[in-house]
């Protein structure tokens, strides 16, 4: 038979494209042509199939087919390559996607305690209904899209008010941007409206209008100001996007979460935001802040802490609940601009202000201008003082129009008859556009309220905020009850149409109080901590170190250095640490006190090196400032990265035995000692951990301050060492791209035989410190990730760790436990009928935990101030097979191995250590300056790979130490 092709493609050409071309340019061409050929209606392959089935020898009735013509010649500059044969899809092993494990059962150990929590029961009656999602497009009359924030709500409110009947009387839930939701459908899938808003630019000035209605420095705007009110038309397009069944909420409560559930909960949260917006609140995610001066607390620097409320819907084991908590955000001090700047720069009067700095601080803030009370956005400052800054004022004299040059000061004083007391010599506020400035004297400008302050707080501001925002448990409960009552959620139309009713009583849960673990200190002494605390009075450290070669340096701190050294040696002797007299005490040369920090550190080290007979084992450094000393980072880098010397920095104010004991806790841990340890790790008898080599990891990523988008993030991982101990750790730290939360350097293959990742470093240390044993079990505590990132932890970070293990030994398959520790949540617990915080060791795994996943809340520490914040632990993976009781006891015990203090801490020690390591190493380099070494492997952002400065590696003598203590 004759082969006929159903395409117009000649056989020779087909042969070339299917056979020769792939050999020349590789398998990707073959893939492309396979897709094309299989889509050409199939006759070609059908006929080939017929031929081969009827004539097994491949010859037709008339003999062999004529040979095809030769293919086109291969170009001389092309070298043919062999096509790679790919495995059939069914032979390719599919990658398993891990998801968080389900709860295997509830724990039972501990003394039962009845508690209340700040969750409120939510009943949903309209479970068969649907949310309808619509996308919203706003544009001006000429078709330009509306991009100004804040205007969307006003436009949609106007649409709802004007076209209520056309919208079938439906209530909206609008997110303020591009999404709108209704219960049930709107009359049509696509709706278009036009609305007119009066004076829409009074809240967000566009720069073209004058600061008042009677002329201004930009008097060319007078023609536009003839009407007392201005109006703008907006086109609104509402288009159907999706249908969300409310049944998804009921399914989630049975442990069957879906994408629809996330959307349905999002709609409910948007309804809460909308409710707060209508009350004039500042919205920050799911937190709302009222413009109430009674809720403001001055924290210094022209910054106020504004107390508000967080509210969000949560699915729990007992059904849907509303979680309400007190929340605080930072705002700019409202009122006269000058008063804010004086407080912000800490100067006495406006004539001492740094106006270059002021310009940066004021940019984009909103002001109210006196006497018109119109609102504007600050775009800059005038280049000259008010009495020197001129503009062209147009005046009419009869039918003629004259133009005169006049200063801003003279215009306001002589033409407007407004008294200016101090503005003459100060710059003016510019609220216009770059090429069309509009100037207002600074004393006529007041900052409007509820403007967020997004820069990092100073140490003193943070301390003041903590002091002023803390609330005792009973006070917090009263404030939350009042908030629920004032918000009147039962009267919210959208919630009512969803059939949602919110109970006003705190949900009651059953907690359990775990007993404190037995600790071991020096001389084999055992003891039980009481109320999560203990001390070293008349006790010695479990494993004290010796300090033989050491020195003291004093960077001009006012301190009795000799007396401090004497007391430190005496106190060390009481704790079992043998401290020899120091080589010397080095006082800073007064001529360098005002030198840059790096110079001061270099000069001090030169003096130390010139006088010491050899490298010291330890240096005690006395700093002049207690917090945020510029010397700290350079000093730590010099010691740890360049010389490998352990160092302890102090800034003593009141020296007594308790202070010195706290200092010795850190010194002993850094030099390789142990202050206390668990009795069960000394035995050793920790369930599932002591019998099989087990490494415990703590992982954290710290990011730059808000607004510092170019500051690299710092990833730190700490690991336990010297198994079966779980009280000793070491750290590995790397930089990565800014704001990237997933750690990307756990496994970092640089060649066929080299891996420069974090995990290799930690695993090799465990092997050498644990008697040449590889860990068969790896327990990971991950800090700082939200629930939306759990799958990335399981499928991105855990994959890297497995790769690092396989790179060391292909046959090595350790078992993993992955636990996320969250502090940034809003669940609190209260003792019913008691003013005290919940006792240390309180654990909750029922009623308000996840309906499917394995999670629990633990208050390991004693909350002495304010209301205790529990840590929320999520067990994402458990291949070891812990019982609920054993795992919770392990987590609780790890809150007692923190070597820096004599208290149980609020989160497991490995997580705390990771945070400390990231913070300390992060101060090694000043990110504002260009680093000599950069790496483009530090992660990806939307703009692609971002070069980040590399951190210096620690010297071998200190890299395995607890330098971060």
């Amino acid at each position: 038979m004759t082969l006929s092709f159903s395409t117009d493609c000649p056989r020779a050409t087909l042969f070339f494209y299917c056979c020769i071309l792939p050999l020349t340019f590789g398998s990707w061409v073959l893939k492309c042509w396979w897709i094309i050929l299989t889509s050409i209606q199939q006759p070609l392959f059908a006929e080939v199939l017929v031929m081969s089935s009827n004539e097994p020898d491949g010859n037709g009735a008339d003999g062999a087919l004529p040979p095809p013509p030769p293919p086109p010649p291969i170009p001389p500059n092309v070298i043919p390559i062999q096509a790679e044969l790919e495995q059939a899809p069914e032979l390719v092993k599919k990658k398993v996607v891990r998801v968080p494990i389900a709860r295997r059962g509830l724990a039972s150990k501990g003394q039962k305690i009845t508690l209340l929590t700040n969750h409120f029961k939510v009943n949903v009656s309209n479970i068969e209904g649907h949310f309808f999602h619509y996308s919203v497009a706003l544009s001006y009359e000429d078709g330009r899209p509306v991009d100004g924030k804040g205007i969307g709500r006003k436009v949609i409110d106007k649409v709802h008010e004007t076209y209520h009947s056309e919208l079938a009387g439906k209530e909206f839930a609008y997110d303020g941007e591009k999404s709108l939701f209704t219960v049930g459908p709107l009359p049509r899938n696509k709706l278009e409206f036009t609305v007119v808003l009066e004076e829409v630019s009074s809240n967000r000035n566009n720069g073209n209008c004058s600061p008042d209605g009677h002329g201004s420095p930009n008097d060319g705007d007078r023609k536009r100001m003839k009407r007392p009110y201005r109006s703008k038309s907006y086109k609104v397009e509402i288009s159907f996007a999706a249908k969300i069944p409310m049944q998804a909420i009921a399914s989630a409560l049975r442990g069957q979460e879906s994408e629809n559930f996330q959307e349905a909960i999002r709609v409910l949260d948007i309804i809460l935001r909308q409710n707060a917006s209508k009350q004039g609140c500042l919205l920050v995610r799911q937190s709302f802040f009222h413009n109430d001066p009674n809720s403001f607390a001055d924290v210094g620097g022209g910054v106020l802490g504004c107390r508000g409320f967080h509210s969000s819907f949560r699915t729990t084991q007992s059904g849907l609940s509303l979680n309400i908590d007190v929340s605080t955000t930072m705002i700019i001090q409202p009122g006269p601009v000058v008063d804010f700047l004086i407080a912000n720069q800490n100067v006495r009067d406006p004539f001492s202000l740094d106006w270059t700095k002021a310009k940066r601080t004021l940019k984009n803030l909103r002001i109210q201008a006196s006497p018109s009370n119109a609102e504007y956005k600050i775009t800059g400052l005038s280049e000259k003082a008010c009495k020197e800054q001129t503009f062209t004022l147009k005046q009419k004299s009869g039918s003629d129009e004259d133009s005169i040059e006049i200063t801003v000061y003279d215009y306001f004083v002589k033409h407007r008859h407004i008294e200016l007391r101090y503005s003459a010599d100060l710059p003016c506020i510019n609220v216009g556009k770059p090429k069309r400035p509009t100037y207002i004297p600074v004393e006529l400008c007041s900052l409007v309220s509820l403007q967020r302050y997004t820069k990092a707080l100073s140490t003193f501001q943070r301390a003041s905020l903590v002091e002023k925002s803390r609330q005792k448990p009973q006070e917090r409960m009263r404030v939350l009850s009042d908030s629920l009552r004032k918000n009147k959620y039962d009267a919210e139309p959208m919630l009512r149409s969803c059939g949602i009713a919110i109970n006003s009583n705190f949900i009651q849960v059953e907690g359990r109080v775990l007993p404190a673990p037995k600790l071991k200190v020096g001389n084999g002494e055992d003891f039980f901590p009481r109320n999560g605390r203990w001390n070293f009075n008349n006790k010695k450290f479990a494993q004290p170190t010796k300090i033989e070669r050491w020195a003291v340096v004093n960077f001009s701190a006012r301190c009795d250095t000799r007396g401090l050294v004497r007391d430190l040696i005496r106190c060390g002797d009481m704790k079992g640490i043998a401290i020899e007299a120091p080589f010397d005490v080095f006082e800073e040369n007064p001529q360098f006190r005002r030198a840059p920090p790096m110079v001061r550190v270099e000069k001090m080290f030169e003096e130390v090196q010139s006088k010491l007979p050899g490298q010291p084992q330890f240096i005690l450094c006395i700093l002049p400032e207690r917090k945020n000393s510029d010397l700290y980072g350079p000093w730590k880098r010099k010691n740890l990265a360049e010389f490998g010397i352990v160092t302890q920095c102090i800034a003593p104010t009141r020296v007594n035995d308790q202070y010195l004991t706290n200092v010795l806790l850190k010194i002993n841990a850094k030099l390789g000692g142990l202050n206390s340890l668990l009795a069960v790790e000394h035995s050793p008898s920790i369930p599932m951990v002591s019998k099989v080599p087990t490494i415990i990891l703590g992982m954290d990523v710290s990011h730059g301050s808000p607004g510092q988008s170019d500051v690299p993030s710092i990833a730190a991982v700490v690991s336990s060492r010297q198994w079966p101990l779980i009280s000793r750790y070491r750290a590995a730290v790397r930089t990565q791209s800014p704001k990237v939360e997933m750690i990307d350097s756990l496994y970092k293959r640089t060649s066929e035989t080299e891996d420069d990742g974090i995990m290799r470093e930690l695993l090799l240390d465990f092997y050498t410190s644990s008697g040449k044993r590889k860990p068969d079990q790896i327990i990971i505590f991950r800090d700082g990730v939200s629930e939306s990132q759990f799958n990335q932890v399981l499928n991105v970070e855990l994959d890297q760790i497995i790769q690092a293990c396989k790179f060391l030994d292909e046959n090595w398959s350790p078992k993993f436990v992955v636990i996320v520790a969250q502090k940034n949540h809003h669940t609190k617990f209260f003792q019913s009928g008691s003013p005290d915080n919940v006792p240390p060791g309180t654990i909750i795994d029922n009623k308000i935990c996840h309906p499917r996943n394995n999670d629990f809340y633990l208050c390991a520490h004693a909350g002495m101030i304010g209301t205790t914040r529990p840590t929320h632990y999520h067990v994402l993976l458990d291949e070891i097979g812990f019982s609920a009781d054993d795992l919770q006891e392990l987590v609780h015990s790890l809150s007692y191995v923190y070597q820096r203090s004599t208290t149980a801490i609020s989160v497991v020690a490995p997580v705390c250590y990771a945070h400390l390591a990231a913070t300390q190493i992060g101060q090694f380099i000043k990110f504002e300056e260009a680093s000599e070494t950069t790496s483009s492997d530090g992660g990806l952002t939307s703009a692609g790979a971002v070069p980040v400065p590399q951190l210096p590696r620690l010297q071998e003598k200190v890299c395995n130490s607890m330098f971060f203590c």
Side-chain angles (χ1 to χ4, degrees), residues 336-345 347-363 367 378-386 422-430 440-445 447:
V337 168
V338 164
D339 290 355
F340 162 70
L341 291 174
I342 287 172
N344 183 251
Q345 297 187 20
V347 295
R348 291 185 177 182
D349 54 58
F351 306 106
S352 307
L353 289 168
D354 177 342
W355 287 98
T356 304
K357 185 178 177 183
K359 183 178 180 179
R360 290 196 304 269
T361 306
L362 295 174
K363 180 107 170 141
I367 54 146
I378 298 175
T379 55
L381 300 175
S382 61
E383 292 180 3
K384 299 177 182 177
C386 187
Y422 56 80
S423 291
D425 296 310
L426 303 178
C428 303
I429 300 291
N430 181 11
I440 310 172
V442 69
E443 69 185 85
L444 300 182
C445 300
L447 290 162

Side-chain angles (χ1 to χ4, degrees), residues 1-13:
M1 64 173 284
T2 306
L3 260 177
S4 62
F5 292 86
S6 58
T7 68
D8 295 326
C9 184
R11 283 174 296 171
T13 310

Side-chain angles (χ1 to χ4, degrees), residues 71-146:
I74 297 170
N77 59 340
V78 173
I79 300 171
I81 59 171
Q82 187 172 350
E84 293 179 11
L85 293 175
E86 298 201 357
Q87 286 181 293
E90 62 272 13
L91 297 178
V92 177
K93 189 177 180 182
K94 288 186 178 178
K95 184 178 183 296
V96 177
V97 176
R98 304 181 192 91
V99 295
I101 63 169
R103 189 185 305 279
R104 292 171 181 163
L106 299 176
S108 58
K109 285 186 180 177
Q111 183 181 344
K112 289 183 171 53
I113 182 172
T114 300
L115 303 169
L116 298 175
T117 182
N118 57 337
H119 286 242
F120 301 85
K121 179 75 176 168
V122 177
N123 294 310
V124 186
S125 58
N126 185 14
I127 211 73
E128 299 303 323
H130 286 81
F131 290 120
F132 281 73
H133 177 194
Y134 294 87
S135 61
V136 177
L138 304 180
S139 60
Y140 297 108
E141 276 183 306
D142 59 5
R144 286 181 299 120
V146 175

Side-chain angles (χ1 to χ4, degrees), residues 342-585:
I342 287 172
N344 183 251
Q345 297 187 20
N346 194 25
V347 295
R348 291 185 177 182
D349 54 58
F351 306 106
S352 307
L353 289 168
D354 177 342
W355 287 98
T356 304
K357 185 178 177 183
K359 183 178 180 179
R360 290 196 304 269
T361 306
L362 295 174
K363 180 107 170 141
N364 293 327
L365 292 180
R366 299 194 318 279
I367 54 146
Q368 199 172 53
S370 177
S372 66
N373 290 335
E375 267 189 34
Y376 306 98
K377 184 194 283 187
I378 298 175
T379 55
L381 300 175
S382 61
E383 292 180 3
K384 299 177 182 177
C386 187
K387 67 181 181 183
E388 297 169 356
Q389 184 67 54
T390 60
F391 69 97
T392 303
L393 177 65
K394 294 180 181 177
Q395 294 179 311
K396 280 191 176 180
S397 55
S399 59
D400 298 330
E401 188 173 74
D402 297 329
S403 296
I404 61 168
E405 282 289 312
I406 187 171
T407 64
V408 176
Y409 181 85
D410 287 343
Y411 169 77
F412 277 91
V413 171
K414 295 177 181 177
H415 286 255
R416 298 287 307 284
H417 307 294
I418 296 172
E419 181 187 358
L420 297 177
R421 292 175 294 117
Y422 56 80
S423 291
D425 296 310
L426 303 178
C428 303
I429 300 291
N430 181 11
V431 296
K433 291 186 174 179
K435 294 183 179 177
R436 203 181 181 95
T438 300
Y439 297 121
I440 310 172
V442 69
E443 69 185 85
L444 300 182
C445 300
S446 288
L447 290 162
V448 300
S449 193
L450 295 183
Q451 298 191 73
R452 286 188 73 198
Y453 179 82
T454 56
K455 295 182 176 65
L457 296 181
S458 69
T459 305
F460 302 105
Q461 285 174 322
R462 277 199 305 273
S464 177
L465 177 65
V466 169
E467 176 70 34
K468 293 178 180 179
S469 61
R470 60 174 60 135
Q471 289 176 306
K472 286 288 185 184
Q474 294 297 310
E475 182 191 355
R476 186 174 288 248
M477 288 182 73
R478 179 185 56 76
V479 168
L480 294 179
S481 294
D482 290 347
S483 168
L484 185 61
R485 189 175 62 254
K486 287 176 185 173
N487 277 309
K488 298 179 180 174
Y489 288 135
D490 287 341
E492 163 60 47
M494 274 293 285
L495 289 179
R496 278 165 55 190
S497 59
C498 300
I500 282 182
I502 300 168
N503 194 305
S504 60
N505 296 322
F506 288 75
I507 289 179
Q508 184 173 302
V509 298
E510 187 179 85
R512 293 171 291 110
V513 182
L514 300 179
K518 186 196 293 185
L519 299 184
K520 196 170 263 308
V521 289
N523 298 329
E525 184 184 345
D526 294 344
F527 70 95
F528 286 96
R530 295 180 59 185
N531 197 32
R533 308 176 75 83
W534 64 98
N535 60 55
F536 275 97
N537 295 341
N538 304 315
K539 296 185 186 75
K540 296 187 185 297
F541 293 157
Q543 294 178 15
T545 186
K546 285 185 179 180
I547 306 177
E548 296 169 332
R549 305 182 318 280
W550 69 293
V552 183
V553 300
N554 181 10
F555 281 100
S556 304
R558 293 179 180 175
C559 171
D560 175 11
T561 313
R562 303 284 174 184
L564 178 79
V565 169
R566 185 180 61 249
D567 290 343
L568 188 70
I569 292 172
R570 176 183 55 81
C571 201
D573 184 57
M574 291 163 57
K575 306 306 166 205
I577 300 180
I579 307 176
E580 302 284 337
F583 278 142
D584 207 343
V585 175

